[in-house]
Structure formats: structure tokens, C-alpha cells
Coordinates of all heavy atoms in Angstrom, one line a residue:
K1246 N -7.0 -2.2 -20.2 CA -7.8 -1.2 -19.4 C -8.3 -1.9 -18.1 O -8.7 -3.1 -18.2 CB -9.0 -0.7 -20.2 CG -9.5 0.5 -19.7 CD -9.8 1.5 -20.9 CE -10.4 2.7 -20.2 NZ -10.1 3.9 -20.7
F1247 N -8.1 -1.2 -17.0 CA -8.5 -1.8 -15.8 C -10.0 -1.4 -15.4 O -10.4 -0.3 -15.7 CB -7.6 -1.3 -14.6 CG -6.3 -1.9 -14.7 CD1 -5.2 -1.2 -15.3 CD2 -6.0 -3.1 -14.0 CE1 -4.0 -1.8 -15.3 CE2 -4.8 -3.6 -14.0 CZ -3.7 -3.0 -14.7
S1248 N -10.7 -2.3 -14.9 CA -12.1 -2.0 -14.4 C -11.9 -1.5 -13.0 O -10.9 -1.7 -12.3 CB -13.0 -3.2 -14.5 OG -12.6 -4.2 -13.6
I1249 N -13.0 -1.0 -12.5 CA -13.1 -0.6 -11.1 C -12.8 -1.7 -10.2 O -12.1 -1.6 -9.2 CB -14.4 0.1 -10.7 CG1 -14.4 1.5 -11.4 CG2 -14.6 0.3 -9.2 CD1 -15.8 2.2 -11.3
Y1250 N -13.3 -2.9 -10.5 CA -13.1 -4.1 -9.7 C -11.6 -4.4 -9.6 O -11.1 -4.7 -8.6 CB -13.9 -5.3 -10.3 CG -13.5 -6.6 -9.6 CD1 -14.0 -6.9 -8.3 CD2 -12.6 -7.5 -10.2 CE1 -13.6 -8.1 -7.7 CE2 -12.3 -8.7 -9.6 CZ -12.8 -9.0 -8.3 OH -12.4 -10.1 -7.7
N1251 N -10.9 -4.4 -10.8 CA -9.5 -4.7 -10.8 C -8.7 -3.7 -10.0 O -7.7 -4.0 -9.3 CB -9.0 -4.7 -12.2 CG -9.4 -5.9 -13.0 OD1 -9.8 -6.9 -12.4 ND2 -9.5 -5.8 -14.3
I1252 N -9.0 -2.4 -10.1 CA -8.3 -1.4 -9.3 C -8.6 -1.6 -7.8 O -7.6 -1.5 -7.0 CB -8.9 0.0 -9.7 CG1 -8.6 0.3 -11.1 CG2 -8.2 1.1 -8.8 CD1 -7.2 0.5 -11.6
E1253 N -9.8 -1.9 -7.4 CA -10.1 -2.2 -6.0 C -9.3 -3.4 -5.5 O -8.8 -3.5 -4.4 CB -11.6 -2.4 -5.8 CG -12.0 -2.4 -4.4 CD -13.5 -2.3 -4.2 OE1 -14.2 -2.2 -5.1 OE2 -13.9 -2.5 -3.0
H1254 N -9.2 -4.4 -6.4 CA -8.5 -5.6 -6.0 C -7.0 -5.3 -5.8 O -6.4 -5.8 -4.9 CB -8.6 -6.7 -7.1 CG -8.1 -8.0 -6.8 ND1 -8.6 -8.8 -5.9 CD2 -7.0 -8.7 -7.3 CE1 -7.9 -9.9 -5.8 NE2 -6.9 -9.8 -6.7
I1255 N -6.4 -4.5 -6.7 CA -5.0 -4.0 -6.5 C -4.8 -3.3 -5.2 O -3.9 -3.6 -4.5 CB -4.6 -3.2 -7.7 CG1 -4.5 -4.0 -9.0 CG2 -3.3 -2.5 -7.5 CD1 -4.4 -3.2 -10.3
I1256 N -5.7 -2.4 -4.9 CA -5.7 -1.7 -3.6 C -5.8 -2.6 -2.4 O -5.0 -2.5 -1.5 CB -6.8 -0.6 -3.6 CG1 -6.5 0.5 -4.6 CG2 -6.9 0.0 -2.2 CD1 -7.6 1.5 -4.7
N1257 N -6.6 -3.6 -2.5 CA -6.8 -4.6 -1.4 C -5.5 -5.4 -1.3 O -5.1 -5.7 -0.1 CB -7.9 -5.6 -1.7 CG -9.3 -4.9 -1.5 OD1 -9.4 -3.9 -0.8 ND2 -10.3 -5.5 -2.2
I1258 N -4.8 -5.7 -2.3 CA -3.5 -6.5 -2.2 C -2.5 -5.6 -1.6 O -1.8 -6.1 -0.7 CB -3.1 -6.9 -3.6 CG1 -4.0 -8.0 -4.2 CG2 -1.6 -7.4 -3.6 CD1 -3.8 -8.4 -5.6
I1259 N -2.4 -4.4 -2.0 CA -1.4 -3.4 -1.3 C -1.7 -3.3 0.1 O -0.8 -3.3 1.0 CB -1.4 -2.1 -2.1 CG1 -0.9 -2.3 -3.5 CG2 -0.5 -1.1 -1.3 CD1 -1.1 -1.0 -4.4
L1260 N -3.0 -3.1 0.5 CA -3.4 -3.0 1.9 C -3.0 -4.2 2.7 O -2.6 -4.1 3.8 CB -4.9 -2.7 2.0 CG -5.3 -1.3 1.5 CD1 -6.8 -1.2 1.5 CD2 -4.7 -0.2 2.4
F1261 N -3.3 -5.4 2.1 CA -2.9 -6.6 2.7 C -1.4 -6.7 3.0 O -1.0 -7.1 4.1 CB -3.3 -7.8 1.9 CG -2.8 -9.1 2.4 CD1 -3.4 -9.7 3.5 CD2 -1.7 -9.7 1.8 CE1 -3.0 -11.0 3.9 CE2 -1.3 -11.0 2.3 CZ -1.9 -11.6 3.4
F1262 N -0.6 -6.3 2.1 CA 0.9 -6.3 2.3 C 1.3 -5.3 3.4 O 2.1 -5.6 4.2 CB 1.6 -6.0 1.0 CG 1.9 -7.2 0.2 CD1 1.1 -7.5 -0.9 CD2 3.0 -8.0 0.4 CE1 1.3 -8.6 -1.7 CE2 3.2 -9.1 -0.3 CZ 2.4 -9.4 -1.4
L1263 N 0.7 -4.1 3.4 CA 1.0 -3.1 4.4 C 0.6 -3.6 5.8 O 1.4 -3.6 6.7 CB 0.3 -1.8 4.1 CG 0.7 -1.0 3.0 CD1 -0.2 0.2 2.7 CD2 2.2 -0.5 3.2
I1264 N -0.6 -4.2 5.9 CA -1.0 -4.7 7.2 C -0.2 -5.9 7.7 O 0.2 -5.9 8.8 CB -2.5 -5.0 7.2 CG1 -3.4 -3.8 7.0 CG2 -3.0 -5.8 8.4 CD1 -4.8 -4.1 6.6
S1265 N 0.1 -6.8 6.8 CA 0.8 -8.0 7.1 C 2.3 -7.6 7.5 O 2.8 -8.2 8.5 CB 0.9 -9.0 5.9 OG -0.4 -9.4 5.6
F1266 N 2.9 -6.7 6.8 CA 4.2 -6.3 7.1 C 4.3 -5.6 8.5 O 5.2 -5.9 9.3 CB 4.8 -5.3 6.1 CG 6.2 -5.0 6.3 CD1 7.2 -5.9 5.9 CD2 6.6 -3.8 6.8 CE1 8.5 -5.6 6.2 CE2 7.9 -3.5 7.1 CZ 8.9 -4.4 6.7
K1267 N 3.4 -4.7 8.8 CA 3.4 -4.0 10.1 C 3.1 -5.0 11.2 O 3.7 -4.9 12.3 CB 2.4 -2.8 10.1 CG 2.9 -1.6 9.3 CD 2.0 -0.5 9.4 CE 2.2 0.0 10.9 NZ 1.5 1.2 11.2
K1268 N 2.2 -5.9 11.0 CA 1.9 -6.9 12.0 C 3.1 -7.8 12.3 O 3.4 -8.1 13.4 CB 0.7 -7.7 11.5 CG 0.2 -8.7 12.5 CD -1.0 -9.4 11.9 CE -1.2 -10.8 12.5 NZ -2.3 -11.5 11.8
S1269 N 3.8 -8.2 11.2 CA 4.9 -9.0 11.3 C 6.1 -8.3 12.0 O 6.9 -9.0 12.7 CB 5.4 -9.5 10.0 OG 4.4 -10.2 9.3
H1270 N 6.2 -7.0 11.9 CA 7.3 -6.3 12.5 C 7.3 -6.4 14.0 O 8.3 -6.4 14.6 CB 7.2 -4.8 12.0 CG 8.2 -3.9 12.7 ND1 9.5 -3.9 12.3 CD2 8.1 -3.0 13.7 CE1 10.2 -3.0 13.0 NE2 9.3 -2.5 13.9
F1271 N 6.1 -6.5 14.6 CA 6.0 -6.5 16.0 C 6.2 -7.9 16.6 O 6.2 -8.1 17.9 CB 4.7 -5.9 16.5 CG 4.6 -4.5 16.2 CD1 3.8 -4.0 15.1 CD2 5.3 -3.6 16.9 CE1 3.7 -2.7 14.8 CE2 5.3 -2.2 16.6 CZ 4.5 -1.8 15.6
L1272 N 6.3 -9.0 15.8 CA 6.4 -10.3 16.3 C 7.9 -10.6 16.6 O 8.8 -10.1 15.9 CB 6.0 -11.3 15.3 CG 4.5 -11.3 14.9 CD1 4.2 -12.2 13.7 CD2 3.6 -11.6 16.1
D1273 N 8.2 -11.3 17.7 CA 9.6 -11.6 18.0 C 10.2 -12.6 17.0 O 11.3 -12.4 16.6 CB 9.6 -12.3 19.4 CG 9.3 -11.3 20.5 OD1 9.5 -10.1 20.3 OD2 8.8 -11.7 21.6
D1274 N 9.4 -13.6 16.6 CA 9.9 -14.6 15.6 C 9.3 -14.1 14.3 O 8.2 -14.3 13.9 CB 9.4 -16.0 16.0 CG 10.0 -17.0 15.1 OD1 11.1 -16.7 14.5 OD2 9.4 -18.1 15.0
K1275 N 10.2 -13.4 13.5 CA 9.7 -12.9 12.2 C 9.3 -13.9 11.2 O 10.1 -14.9 11.0 CB 10.9 -12.0 11.6 CG 11.4 -10.9 12.5 CD 10.4 -9.8 12.7 CE 10.9 -8.7 13.4 NZ 10.1 -8.2 14.5
P1276 N 8.1 -13.9 10.7 CA 7.7 -14.8 9.7 C 8.5 -14.6 8.3 O 9.1 -13.6 8.1 CB 6.2 -14.6 9.5 CG 6.0 -13.2 10.0 CD 7.1 -12.9 11.0
Q1277 N 8.5 -15.6 7.5 CA 9.2 -15.6 6.2 C 8.7 -14.4 5.4 O 9.5 -13.8 4.6 CB 9.0 -16.9 5.5 CG 9.9 -17.0 4.3 CD 11.4 -17.0 4.6 OE1 11.8 -17.6 5.6 NE2 12.2 -16.3 3.8
F1278 N 7.4 -14.1 5.5 CA 6.8 -13.0 4.7 C 7.6 -11.7 5.0 O 8.0 -10.9 4.2 CB 5.4 -12.8 5.1 CG 4.8 -11.5 4.5 CD1 4.3 -11.5 3.2 CD2 4.7 -10.4 5.3 CE1 3.8 -10.3 2.7 CE2 4.2 -9.2 4.8 CZ 3.7 -9.2 3.5
Y1279 N 7.9 -11.4 6.3 CA 8.6 -10.2 6.7 C 10.0 -10.2 6.2 O 10.5 -9.2 5.7 CB 8.6 -10.1 8.3 CG 9.2 -8.9 8.8 CD1 8.5 -7.7 9.0 CD2 10.6 -8.9 9.1 CE1 9.1 -6.6 9.5 CE2 11.2 -7.7 9.6 CZ 10.4 -6.6 9.8 OH 11.0 -5.4 10.2
I1280 N 10.7 -11.4 6.3 CA 12.1 -11.5 5.9 C 12.1 -11.3 4.4 O 13.0 -10.5 3.9 CB 12.6 -12.9 6.3 CG1 12.7 -13.0 7.8 CG2 14.0 -13.1 5.7 CD1 12.9 -14.4 8.3
D1281 N 11.2 -11.8 3.6 CA 11.2 -11.7 2.2 C 10.9 -10.3 1.7 O 11.4 -9.9 0.6 CB 10.2 -12.7 1.5 CG 10.6 -14.1 1.7 OD1 11.8 -14.4 2.0 OD2 9.7 -15.0 1.5
N1282 N 10.1 -9.6 2.4 CA 9.7 -8.3 1.9 C 10.3 -7.1 2.7 O 9.9 -5.9 2.4 CB 8.1 -8.2 2.0 CG 7.5 -9.2 1.1 OD1 7.7 -9.0 -0.1 ND2 6.9 -10.2 1.6
A1283 N 11.2 -7.3 3.6 CA 11.7 -6.2 4.4 C 12.5 -5.2 3.5 O 12.4 -4.0 3.8 CB 12.7 -6.8 5.5
S1284 N 13.1 -5.7 2.5 CA 13.9 -4.8 1.6 C 13.0 -3.8 0.9 O 13.3 -2.7 0.6 CB 14.7 -5.6 0.6 OG 13.9 -6.3 -0.2
I1285 N 11.8 -4.3 0.6 CA 10.8 -3.4 -0.1 C 10.3 -2.3 0.8 O 10.3 -1.1 0.4 CB 9.6 -4.2 -0.6 CG1 10.0 -5.2 -1.7 CG2 8.5 -3.3 -1.2 CD1 9.0 -6.3 -2.0
F1286 N 10.0 -2.7 2.0 CA 9.4 -1.7 3.0 C 10.4 -0.9 3.7 O 10.1 0.0 4.5 CB 8.4 -2.4 3.9 CG 7.2 -2.9 3.3 CD1 7.0 -4.2 3.0 CD2 6.2 -2.0 2.9 CE1 5.8 -4.6 2.3 CE2 5.1 -2.4 2.3 CZ 4.9 -3.7 2.0
N1287 N 11.7 -1.2 3.6 CA 12.7 -0.4 4.3 C 12.8 1.0 3.8 O 13.4 1.9 4.4 CB 14.1 -1.1 4.2 CG 14.3 -2.2 5.1 OD1 13.6 -2.3 6.1 ND2 15.2 -3.1 4.8
E1288 N 12.3 1.2 2.6 CA 12.2 2.6 2.0 C 11.3 3.5 2.7 O 11.3 4.7 2.5 CB 11.9 2.5 0.5 CG 12.9 1.7 -0.3 CD 14.2 2.5 -0.4 OE1 14.2 3.7 -0.5 OE2 15.2 1.8 -0.3
F1289 N 10.4 2.9 3.6 CA 9.4 3.7 4.2 C 9.5 3.6 5.8 O 9.8 2.5 6.3 CB 8.0 3.2 3.8 CG 7.8 3.2 2.3 CD1 8.1 2.1 1.6 CD2 7.3 4.3 1.7 CE1 7.9 2.0 0.2 CE2 7.2 4.3 0.3 CZ 7.4 3.2 -0.4
N1290 N 9.2 4.7 6.5 CA 9.1 4.6 7.9 C 7.6 4.3 8.2 O 6.8 4.3 7.4 CB 9.6 5.8 8.6 CG 8.8 7.1 8.3 OD1 7.6 7.0 8.1 ND2 9.5 8.2 8.3
Y1291 N 7.4 4.0 9.5 CA 6.0 3.5 9.8 C 5.0 4.6 9.8 O 3.8 4.3 9.5 CB 6.0 2.7 11.1 CG 6.7 1.4 11.0 CD1 8.1 1.2 11.3 CD2 6.0 0.4 10.4 CE1 8.7 0.0 11.0 CE2 6.6 -0.8 10.1 CZ 8.0 -1.0 10.4 OH 8.6 -2.2 10.2
Q1292 N 5.4 5.9 10.0 CA 4.4 6.9 9.9 C 4.0 7.1 8.4 O 2.8 7.3 8.1 CB 5.0 8.3 10.4 CG 5.2 8.4 11.8 CD 6.5 7.8 12.3 OE1 7.4 7.5 11.5 NE2 6.6 7.5 13.6
K1293 N 5.0 6.9 7.5 CA 4.6 7.0 6.1 C 3.8 5.8 5.6 O 2.9 6.0 4.8 CB 5.9 7.1 5.3 CG 6.6 8.4 5.4 CD 7.8 8.5 4.5 CE 8.5 9.9 4.7 NZ 9.6 10.0 3.8
L1294 N 4.0 4.6 6.2 CA 3.2 3.5 5.9 C 1.8 3.7 6.3 O 0.8 3.4 5.6 CB 3.8 2.2 6.5 CG 5.0 1.7 5.8 CD1 5.5 0.4 6.5 CD2 4.8 1.4 4.3
D1295 N 1.6 4.3 7.5 CA 0.3 4.7 8.0 C -0.4 5.7 7.1 O -1.6 5.6 6.8 CB 0.4 5.2 9.4 CG 0.7 4.1 10.5 OD1 0.5 2.9 10.2 OD2 1.1 4.5 11.6
F1296 N 0.4 6.7 6.7 CA -0.1 7.7 5.8 C -0.6 7.1 4.5 O -1.7 7.3 4.0 CB 0.9 8.8 5.5 CG 0.5 9.8 4.5 CD1 -0.3 10.8 5.0 CD2 1.0 9.8 3.2 CE1 -0.7 11.8 4.1 CE2 0.6 10.8 2.3 CZ -0.3 11.8 2.8
I1297 N 0.2 6.2 3.9 CA -0.1 5.5 2.6 C -1.4 4.6 2.8 O -2.3 4.6 2.0 CB 1.1 4.6 2.1 CG1 2.2 5.5 1.7 CG2 0.6 3.7 1.0 CD1 3.5 4.8 1.4
Y1298 N -1.4 3.9 4.0 CA -2.6 3.1 4.3 C -3.9 4.0 4.3 O -4.9 3.7 3.7 CB -2.4 2.4 5.6 CG -3.6 1.6 6.1 CD1 -3.8 0.3 5.6 CD2 -4.6 2.2 6.9 CE1 -5.0 -0.4 6.0 CE2 -5.7 1.5 7.3 CZ -5.9 0.2 6.9 OH -7.0 -0.5 7.3
D1299 N -3.8 5.1 5.0 CA -5.0 6.0 5.1 C -5.4 6.5 3.7 O -6.6 6.6 3.4 CB -4.7 7.2 6.0 CG -4.6 6.8 7.5 OD1 -5.1 5.7 7.8 OD2 -4.0 7.5 8.2
K1300 N -4.4 6.9 2.9 CA -4.7 7.4 1.5 C -5.3 6.3 0.7 O -6.2 6.6 -0.1 CB -3.5 8.0 0.9 CG -2.9 9.2 1.5 CD -4.0 10.4 1.4 CE -3.5 11.6 2.0 NZ -4.4 12.7 2.0
L1301 N -4.8 5.1 0.8 CA -5.4 4.0 0.0 C -6.8 3.7 0.4 O -7.7 3.4 -0.5 CB -4.5 2.8 0.1 CG -3.2 2.8 -0.6 CD1 -2.4 1.6 -0.3 CD2 -3.4 2.9 -2.1
I1302 N -7.1 3.8 1.7 CA -8.5 3.6 2.1 C -9.4 4.7 1.6 O -10.5 4.4 1.1 CB -8.5 3.5 3.7 CG1 -7.8 2.3 4.2 CG2 -10.0 3.6 4.2 CD1 -8.5 1.0 3.9
N1303 N -8.9 5.9 1.6 CA -9.6 7.0 1.0 C -9.9 6.8 -0.5 O -11.0 7.1 -0.9 CB -8.9 8.3 1.3 CG -9.8 9.5 1.0 OD1 -11.0 9.4 1.1 ND2 -9.1 10.6 0.7
I1304 N -8.9 6.4 -1.2 CA -9.1 6.1 -2.6 C -10.1 5.0 -2.8 O -11.0 5.1 -3.7 CB -7.7 5.7 -3.3 CG1 -6.8 7.0 -3.4 CG2 -7.9 5.2 -4.7 CD1 -5.4 6.6 -3.8
K1305 N -10.0 4.0 -2.0 CA -10.9 2.9 -2.1 C -12.4 3.3 -1.9 O -13.3 2.9 -2.6 CB -10.5 1.8 -1.2 CG -11.3 0.5 -1.3 CD -10.7 -0.6 -0.4 CE -11.7 -1.8 -0.4 NZ -11.2 -2.8 0.5
K1306 N -12.6 4.2 -0.9 CA -13.9 4.7 -0.6 C -14.5 5.5 -1.7 O -15.7 5.5 -1.9 CB -13.9 5.5 0.7 CG -13.7 4.8 2.0 CD -13.7 5.7 3.1 CE -13.4 5.0 4.4 NZ -13.3 5.9 5.6
N1307 N -13.6 6.2 -2.4 CA -14.1 7.1 -3.5 C -13.9 6.5 -4.9 O -13.9 7.3 -5.9 CB -13.3 8.4 -3.4 CG -13.7 9.1 -2.1 OD1 -14.9 9.2 -1.8 ND2 -12.7 9.6 -1.4
I1308 N -13.6 5.2 -5.0 CA -13.3 4.6 -6.3 C -14.4 4.8 -7.3 O -14.2 4.9 -8.5 CB -12.9 3.2 -6.1 CG1 -12.0 2.7 -7.2 CG2 -14.0 2.3 -5.9 CD1 -11.2 1.5 -7.0
N1309 N -15.6 4.8 -6.9 CA -16.8 4.9 -7.8 C -17.0 6.4 -8.3 O -17.6 6.6 -9.3 CB -18.1 4.4 -7.1 CG -18.0 2.9 -6.9 OD1 -17.5 2.2 -7.8 ND2 -18.6 2.5 -5.8
I1310 N -16.4 7.3 -7.5 CA -16.5 8.7 -7.9 C -15.5 9.1 -9.0 O -15.8 9.8 -10.0 CB -16.3 9.6 -6.7 CG1 -17.4 9.4 -5.7 CG2 -16.3 11.1 -7.1 CD1 -17.2 10.1 -4.4
I1311 N -14.3 8.5 -8.9 CA -13.3 8.8 -9.9 C -13.5 7.9 -11.1 O -13.5 6.7 -11.0 CB -11.9 8.5 -9.3 CG1 -11.7 9.3 -8.0 CG2 -10.8 8.8 -10.3 CD1 -10.5 8.9 -7.2
Q1312 N -13.7 8.5 -12.2 CA -14.1 7.8 -13.4 C -12.9 7.3 -14.2 O -13.0 6.3 -14.9 CB -14.9 8.6 -14.3 CG -16.2 9.1 -13.7 CD -17.1 7.9 -13.4 OE1 -17.2 6.9 -14.2 NE2 -17.8 7.9 -12.2
N1313 N -11.7 7.9 -14.0 CA -10.6 7.5 -14.8 C -9.7 6.6 -14.0 O -9.0 7.0 -13.1 CB -9.8 8.8 -15.2 CG -8.7 8.5 -16.2 OD1 -8.3 7.4 -16.4 ND2 -8.4 9.6 -16.9
N1314 N -9.7 5.3 -14.4 CA -8.9 4.3 -13.7 C -7.4 4.5 -13.8 O -6.7 4.2 -12.9 CB -9.3 2.9 -14.2 CG -10.7 2.6 -13.9 OD1 -11.3 3.0 -12.9 ND2 -11.3 1.8 -14.7
E1315 N -6.9 5.0 -14.9 CA -5.5 5.3 -15.1 C -5.1 6.4 -14.1 O -4.0 6.3 -13.5 CB -5.2 5.7 -16.5 CG -5.2 4.6 -17.5 CD -6.7 4.3 -18.0 OE1 -7.6 5.1 -17.7 OE2 -6.8 3.2 -18.5
T1316 N -6.0 7.3 -13.8 CA -5.7 8.4 -12.8 C -5.5 7.8 -11.4 O -4.7 8.2 -10.6 CB -6.8 9.4 -12.8 OG1 -6.9 10.0 -14.1 CG2 -6.5 10.5 -11.8
I1317 N -6.3 6.8 -11.1 CA -6.3 6.1 -9.8 C -4.9 5.4 -9.7 O -4.2 5.5 -8.6 CB -7.4 5.1 -9.6 CG1 -8.8 5.9 -9.6 CG2 -7.2 4.3 -8.3 CD1 -10.0 5.0 -9.6
L1318 N -4.5 4.6 -10.7 CA -3.3 3.9 -10.6 C -2.1 4.9 -10.6 O -1.1 4.7 -9.8 CB -3.1 3.0 -11.9 CG -4.0 1.8 -11.9 CD1 -3.9 1.1 -13.3 CD2 -3.7 0.9 -10.8
L1319 N -2.2 6.0 -11.3 CA -1.1 7.0 -11.3 C -1.0 7.6 -9.9 O 0.1 7.8 -9.3 CB -1.3 8.0 -12.3 CG -0.2 9.1 -12.4 CD1 1.1 8.5 -12.8 CD2 -0.6 10.2 -13.4
S1320 N -2.1 7.9 -9.3 CA -2.2 8.4 -7.9 C -1.5 7.5 -6.9 O -0.8 7.9 -6.0 CB -3.6 8.7 -7.5 OG -4.2 9.6 -8.3
I1321 N -1.8 6.2 -7.0 CA -1.2 5.2 -6.1 C 0.4 5.2 -6.3 O 1.1 5.2 -5.4 CB -1.8 3.8 -6.4 CG1 -3.2 3.9 -5.9 CG2 -1.0 2.8 -5.6 CD1 -4.0 2.6 -6.3
C1322 N 0.8 5.2 -7.6 CA 2.2 5.3 -7.8 C 2.9 6.5 -7.3 O 4.0 6.4 -6.6 CB 2.5 5.2 -9.3 SG 2.1 3.6 -10.1
I1323 N 2.3 7.7 -7.5 CA 2.8 8.9 -6.9 C 2.8 8.9 -5.4 O 3.8 9.4 -4.8 CB 2.0 10.1 -7.5 CG1 2.3 10.3 -9.0 CG2 2.3 11.4 -6.7 CD1 1.4 11.3 -9.7
L1324 N 1.8 8.3 -4.8 CA 1.7 8.2 -3.4 C 2.9 7.5 -2.8 O 3.6 7.9 -1.9 CB 0.4 7.5 -3.0 CG 0.2 7.2 -1.5 CD1 0.0 8.5 -0.7 CD2 -1.1 6.4 -1.4
F1325 N 3.3 6.4 -3.4 CA 4.5 5.6 -3.0 C 5.8 6.3 -3.3 O 6.7 6.4 -2.4 CB 4.5 4.2 -3.6 CG 3.7 3.2 -2.9 CD1 2.4 3.0 -3.3 CD2 4.2 2.5 -1.8 CE1 1.6 2.1 -2.6 CE2 3.4 1.6 -1.1 CZ 2.1 1.4 -1.5
K1326 N 5.8 6.9 -4.5 CA 7.1 7.6 -4.8 C 7.4 8.8 -3.9 O 8.5 9.0 -3.5 CB 7.0 8.1 -6.3 CG 8.3 8.7 -6.8 CD 8.4 8.6 -8.2 CE 9.7 9.3 -8.7 NZ 10.9 8.6 -8.5
K1327 N 6.4 9.6 -3.6 CA 6.5 10.8 -2.8 C 6.9 10.4 -1.3 O 7.5 11.2 -0.6 CB 5.3 11.7 -2.8 CG 5.2 12.4 -4.1 CD 4.1 13.5 -4.0 CE 4.1 14.3 -5.2 NZ 3.1 15.4 -5.1
N1328 N 6.5 9.2 -0.9 CA 6.7 8.8 0.5 C 7.9 7.9 0.7 O 8.2 7.5 1.8 CB 5.4 8.2 1.1 CG 4.4 9.2 1.3 OD1 4.5 9.9 2.3 ND2 3.4 9.2 0.5
C1329 N 8.6 7.6 -0.4 CA 9.8 6.8 -0.3 C 10.9 7.6 0.2 O 11.1 8.8 -0.1 CB 10.1 6.3 -1.7 SG 11.4 5.1 -1.8
K1330 N 11.8 7.0 1.0 CA 13.0 7.7 1.5 C 13.9 8.0 0.3 O 14.1 7.2 -0.6 CB 13.8 6.8 2.4 CG 13.2 6.6 3.8 CD 14.2 5.7 4.6 CE 13.6 5.2 5.9 NZ 14.4 4.3 6.6
V1331 N 14.5 9.2 0.4 CA 15.5 9.6 -0.6 C 16.8 9.2 0.0 O 17.2 9.6 1.1 CB 15.4 11.1 -0.9 CG1 16.4 11.5 -1.9 CG2 14.0 11.4 -1.4
V1332 N 17.6 8.4 -0.8 CA 18.9 8.0 -0.3 C 20.0 8.8 -0.9 O 20.0 9.2 -2.0 CB 19.1 6.5 -0.6 CG1 20.4 6.0 -0.1 CG2 18.0 5.7 0.0

């Protein structure tokens, strides 16, 4: 079972990856982080990454209101699945 702290920590890690990836995208000399993770984020366009970022921030702000931690994790999974490109 996840505590609220663990859920918030997971959200922070995802936010860190999103921010780092978008920041790396604009650099001329791509860092190894970008090269290693480009295949993961290729499924998303940048508007969708912004949308996911905004939703994660919203979830993080309301994490104390939502009592069911499994619901929070499921919401995050659905958020990524619905915004992934369909190939």
C-alpha cells in the first residue's frame, strides 16, 4: 500500500522526467538523459506532455483530498495511456 508521501514522490519523479526531457529537447548538444529516454517520450507530442504536466500538478495539489491512493495511481496511468499516440 502506498502512502500519500510515496504517491507524491512518484509524481515528483514523473514531473522531473517531463521537465528534464523538455528542457533537453531545446539544447543543441543533447545530453545522455535525452538520448536514453527519447524512445519513451516519442509516444507523446509536446502539447500532450504539457497537458500531462498540468494534470499531475493538479493531482499533486489535491493529493490530500483524494483518500484512495490506488485511485490516484490509476488516474496517472490512465492519463498517460489516453495521451499516448496510437500507432
Side-chain angles (χ1 to χ4, degrees):
K1246 202 138 177 141
F1247 286 96
S1248 69
I1249 289 176
Y1250 171 77
N1251 289 338
I1252 301 290
E1253 190 170 355
H1254 189 68
I1255 291 169
I1256 292 171
N1257 287 336
I1258 292 170
I1259 296 169
L1260 290 171
F1261 172 77
F1262 273 98
L1263 289 173
I1264 293 167
S1265 296
F1266 185 78
K1267 285 189 69 174
K1268 183 177 156 186
S1269 299
H1270 176 74
F1271 294 107
L1272 298 174
D1273 291 331
D1274 188 21
K1275 303 292 186 225
Q1277 191 63 40
F1278 171 82
Y1279 183 88
I1280 295 166
D1281 292 344
N1282 295 295
S1284 63
I1285 296 170
F1286 289 105
N1287 281 339
E1288 296 293 318
F1289 304 94
N1290 64 34
Y1291 288 97
Q1292 290 85 14
K1293 287 184 180 182
L1294 288 177
D1295 289 339
F1296 177 78
I1297 291 170
Y1298 176 84
D1299 292 340
K1300 291 296 180 184
L1301 287 173
I1302 292 293
N1303 192 26
I1304 290 170
K1305 187 175 171 181
K1306 285 180 184 175
N1307 295 313
I1308 204 162
N1309 291 324
I1310 298 171
I1311 305 169
Q1312 298 297 319
N1313 190 338
N1314 294 330
E1315 288 80 16
T1316 302
I1317 296 170
L1318 289 174
L1319 182 62
S1320 299
I1321 293 170
C1322 292
I1323 291 170
L1324 177 65
F1325 275 93
K1326 182 155 177 79
K1327 285 189 174 187
N1328 286 287
C1329 185
K1330 286 183 190 174
V1331 177
V1332 180

